[in-house]
């Protein structure tokens, strides 16, 4: 048993040691696959490979940096794919792409913006019939009434038709009687005679026309009472309502932006009482209700998050150096020297010993030996010959890919390198005003050497990016001594662009610098080294080819776009040059139902004729409810307006009517939707909610009775639709979705209908 356990234990140890090695090899392979995908600009696949490698080896900085670097590129490419899908009408696929981009990079704000925009498009297309909202509770009602200005709420919404030539106060009272409101006058007001002709207008329009004719103004005192006074600056200052509101701004990045909004409110709306609170990024504004409403619109228009962009800058440097040396370098000089090898002999005699000694010594060259010189007295030195065959090929590639994130219209700088001191001057101070100080003080300044990038982007609404760019690549290529001080020699390559405009994600080459130098030299024995074939035996040929290329490329990526909606771009009537006021758009009054009389007042004091109520049908009627259009066929001239009534027949216990209608938006434009009187035949108020989309040619209308009021039975006009004929052609008016509901909100099936409109 022990013999069996020992090999098993060894195998287990080998397996445990092999597991980390396999994980490291797999992570390396994934990293290499990610590099290949990134080189192909497939950033989504590269991000997937880098992330898998990082998950296997989270402590490896290479994998971590690659994973974080490509995260933005992958998310941005997915956002671009989602935008393309949305443009093709594939909204669900676009939503999935935007959500995937947010999962990869939650800080990519443009992905959230595009997701919200796409969801809104789907919501507008589906456009479910809205349900009538229940009444607000007392607390909400108290808060609304306490916080806002008084709004006029007339009792009757019957169209007003008046033709008078009388004093202005009598005209005001007549209009008030027709709408069921009270009219009070300023004691200082002296009415003048005016002529007014009103045909089927709303209360707001009647009061506005009367005020214009009589040069007066009015303001609501209660929901059913107005106060009229002469239109003068003093009276307006005395009588107009004042509203106080605090605006909290959430997208300010600089104090000057708050001041810009204050200046806009003061200059455009003529509001003088504006207090800015820098500590809270808030504005406190006091003015009339119309001025405050317009100030709120301005704040919403201007308090926008600044667009942001990430700019990818690729700096590619390629250097090639190819040199070749070929040939024989023969000796080009010889040195001949005279050697001192001539010997002289001397002898000496000793008288003591009687011996004679002879010695030889070299004392140099003597004049009497010049005649005896021969070849052995000279030494010749000849240089060596070298045979060279050398090839050198150097290829250097360097790519730098920095990224810069910048706000709209804000300068951003990126500096990669070092700072070198450069002497700018020197001075020698004295001591106590006399004498000379032997010390010299030198002044230095530091210059940035390396990659220096300055960019100022401007993001346009259409997705283009305009950039002002300055790029510089510099390095120290040597040193020089100037005035005893060693100074660096700086090599520089610089691209300074005025402005360049690119689309989001578009790459562009903004500059390229190429140096190509070729040097060829020949050295050897004159004459022989110039013979075409023998030059390699009697000389050397040196060839040097140097190429240096630098390319600058730039790619902008918008990560936060400009958030401008239709309300921000809408034109608003704000009164005259002297008086700032809003022209409130009110729902048109209910048009008379078919076979019902209209209201007309021709003399002051006459009561208008109220519309007749269509009698309810017997509850036992078994007919199926159905819709119809009155008229069912319309012929109208171009640029004219016309009205079509939506009639319901055979209705029983109907509480609300939700319908959806379609028309050709190229031919017709919906102007108004008003109550037709069927649901309010017993005097109950009707809540009318409608939403239209002129681009799709679609309108959704919901007419509902008050809660607890029960249903109605019979037939009559539910709503009246007012259109304008835009262009010649034929357009059907069709109920694509509709029905009715009883007081228990149970659905009642109603047969649809269609009308034909011909514009001539």
């Amino acid at each position: 048993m022990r013999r069996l356990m020992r090999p098993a234990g060894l195998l287990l140890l080998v397996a445990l040691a092999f597991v980390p090695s396999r994980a490291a090899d797999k992570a390396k392979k994934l990293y290499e696959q990610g590099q290949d995908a990134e080189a192909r600009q497939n950033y989504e696949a590269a991000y997937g490979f880098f992330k898998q490698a990082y998950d296997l080896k989270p402590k490896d900085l290479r994998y971590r940096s690659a994973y974080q670097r490509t995260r933005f590129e992958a998310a941005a490419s997915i956002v671009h794919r989602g935008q393309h899908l949305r443009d093709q009408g594939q909204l669900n696929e676009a939503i999935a792409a935007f959500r995937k981009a947010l999962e990869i990079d939650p800080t990519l704000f443009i992905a959230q913006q595009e997701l919200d925009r796409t969801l809104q498009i789907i919501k507008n297309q589906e456009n479910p019939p809205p349900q009538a909202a229940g009444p607000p509770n007392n607390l909400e009602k108290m808060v609304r009434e306490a916080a806002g200005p008084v709004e006029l709420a007339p009792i009757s919404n019957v169209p007003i038709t008046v033709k008078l030539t009388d004093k202005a106060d009598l005209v005001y009272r007549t209009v008030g009687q027709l709408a069921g409101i009270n009219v009070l006058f300023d004691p200082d007001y002296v009415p003048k005679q005016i002529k007014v002709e009103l045909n089927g207008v709303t209360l707001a329009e009647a009061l506005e026309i009367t005020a214009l004719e009589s040069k007066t103004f009015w303001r609501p005192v209660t929901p059913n009472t107005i106060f009229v006074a002469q239109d003068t600056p003093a009276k307006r200052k005395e009588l107009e309502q004042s509203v106080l509101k605090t605006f909290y701004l959430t997208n300010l990045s600089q104090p000057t932006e708050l001041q810009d909004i204050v200046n806009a409110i003061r200059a455009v709306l003529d509001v003088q009482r504006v207090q800015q609170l820098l500590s809270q990024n808030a504005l406190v504004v006091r003015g009339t209700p119309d001025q405050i409403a317009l100030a709120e619109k301005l704040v919403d228009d201007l308090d926008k998050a600044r667009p942001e962009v990430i700019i990818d800058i690729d700096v590619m440097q390629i250097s090639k150096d190819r040199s070749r040396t070929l040939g024989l370098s023969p000796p080009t000089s010889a040195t001949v020297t005279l050697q001192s090898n001539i010997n002289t002999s001397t002898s000496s005699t000793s008288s003591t010993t009687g011996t004679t000694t002879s010695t030889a010594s070299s004392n140099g060259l003597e004049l009497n030996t010049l005649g005896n010189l021969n070849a052995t007295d000279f030494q010749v030195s000849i240089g060596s010959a070298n045979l060279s065959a050398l090839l050198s090929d150097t290829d250097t590639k360097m790519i730098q890919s920095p990224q810069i994130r910048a706000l709209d219209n804000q300068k951003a700088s990126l500096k990669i390198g070092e700072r070198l001191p450069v002497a700018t001057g020197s001075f020698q101070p004295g001591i106590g005003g006399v004498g000379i100080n032997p010390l010299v003080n030198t002044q230095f300044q530091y210059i940035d050497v390396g990659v220096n990038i300055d960019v100022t982007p401007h993001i346009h609404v259409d997705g283009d990016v305009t950039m002002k760019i300055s790029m510089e690549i510099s390095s120290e290529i040597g040193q020089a001594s100037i005035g005893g001080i060693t100074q660096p020699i700086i090599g520089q390559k610089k691209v300074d662009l005025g402005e360049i405009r690119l689309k989001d994600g578009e790459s562009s080459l903004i500059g390229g610098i190429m140096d190509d130098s070729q040097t060829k030299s020949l050295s050897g024995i004159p004459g022989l080294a110039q013979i075409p074939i023998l030059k390699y035996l009697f000389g050397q040929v040196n060839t040097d080819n140097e190429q240096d290329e630098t390319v600058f490329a730039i790619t902008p990526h918008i990560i936060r776009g400009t958030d401008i909606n239709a309300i921000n771009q809408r034109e608003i009537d704000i009164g005259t040059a002297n008086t700032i006021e809003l022209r409130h758009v009110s729902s048109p009054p209910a048009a008379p139902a078919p076979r019902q009389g209209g209201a007309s007042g021709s003399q002051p004091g006459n009561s208008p004729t109220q519309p007749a109520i269509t009698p309810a049908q017997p509850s036992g009627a078994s007919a199926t409810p159905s819709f119809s259009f009155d008229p069912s066929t319309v012929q109208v001239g171009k640029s004219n307006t016309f009205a079509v009534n939506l009639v319901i027949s055979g209705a029983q216990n109907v509480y609300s009517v939700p319908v959806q209608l379609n028309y050709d938006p190229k031919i017709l434009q919906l102007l108004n939707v008003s109550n037709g009187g069927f649901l309010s035949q017993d005097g109950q108020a009707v809540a009318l909610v409608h939403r239209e989309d002129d681009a799709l040619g679609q309108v959704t209308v919901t007419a509902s009775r008050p809660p607890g009021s029960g249903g109605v039975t019979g037939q009559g006009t539910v709503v009246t639709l007012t259109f304008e004929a835009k262009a010649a052609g034929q357009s059907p008016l069709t109920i694509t979705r509709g029905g009715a509901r009883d007081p228990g909100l149970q659905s009642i099936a109603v047969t649809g209908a269609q009308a034909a409109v011909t514009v001539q």
Side-chain angles (χ1 to χ4, degrees), residues 594-606:
R595 298 184 302 275
Q596 294 178 359
S600 176
S602 58
Q603 295 296 331
N606 291 349

Side-chain angles (χ1 to χ4, degrees), residues 291-410:
Q291 288 175 327
I292 297 300
L294 291 170
E296 185 172 3
K297 181 187 183 305
L298 278 182
V299 170
D300 181 66
D301 293 344
L302 302 178
D303 184 25
K304 300 288 187 181
R306 303 273 306 266
E308 293 183 73
V309 62
I310 284 183
I311 303 172
D312 290 336
I313 301 176
D314 295 328
V315 181
M316 294 166 282
Q317 300 182 74
I318 302 174
S319 300
K320 292 184 179 181
D321 188 357
R322 185 183 181 93
S323 61
R324 184 184 66 182
T325 303
L326 183 63
L328 179 67
S329 178
T332 57
S333 62
T335 304
V336 180
T337 58
L338 183 65
Q339 57 181 359
S340 178
N341 57 359
I342 300 175
N343 297 328
T344 57
S345 299
T346 59
S347 61
S348 61
T349 303
S350 174
S351 59
T352 305
T353 60
T355 61
T356 302
T357 302
S358 178
T359 61
S361 62
S362 178
N363 297 325
L365 182 64
E366 296 179 353
L367 293 176
N368 57 3
T369 62
L370 291 176
N372 299 321
L373 294 177
N374 53 34
T376 61
D377 296 327
F378 295 92
Q379 180 179 2
V380 179
S381 299
I382 301 176
S384 61
N386 296 323
L387 178 62
S388 300
L390 178 63
L391 176 65
S392 177
D393 192 352
T394 303
D395 192 351
T396 303
K397 298 179 180 179
M398 183 176 65
I399 299 178
Q400 293 178 322
S401 299
Q403 286 184 337
I404 300 179
R405 179 168 179 166
L407 283 172
D408 184 36
N409 292 327
Q410 294 293 320

Side-chain angles (χ1 to χ4, degrees), residues 624-636:
T624 302
S626 62
F627 287 123
S628 62
F629 289 105
D630 182 23
S632 60
T633 303
V634 179
Q635 291 186 354
V636 65

Side-chain angles (χ1 to χ4, degrees), residues 128-136 655-659 679 685-691 700-709 741-743 745:
Q131 299 297 328
Y655 170 77
S656 67
V657 179
V659 292
L679 294 177
V686 174
L688 185 62
V689 180
H690 63 90
R691 291 186 301 173
T700 301
V701 181
T702 299
S704 302
R705 290 169 57 81
S709 60
R741 295 181 184 272
D742 61 15
L745 299 183

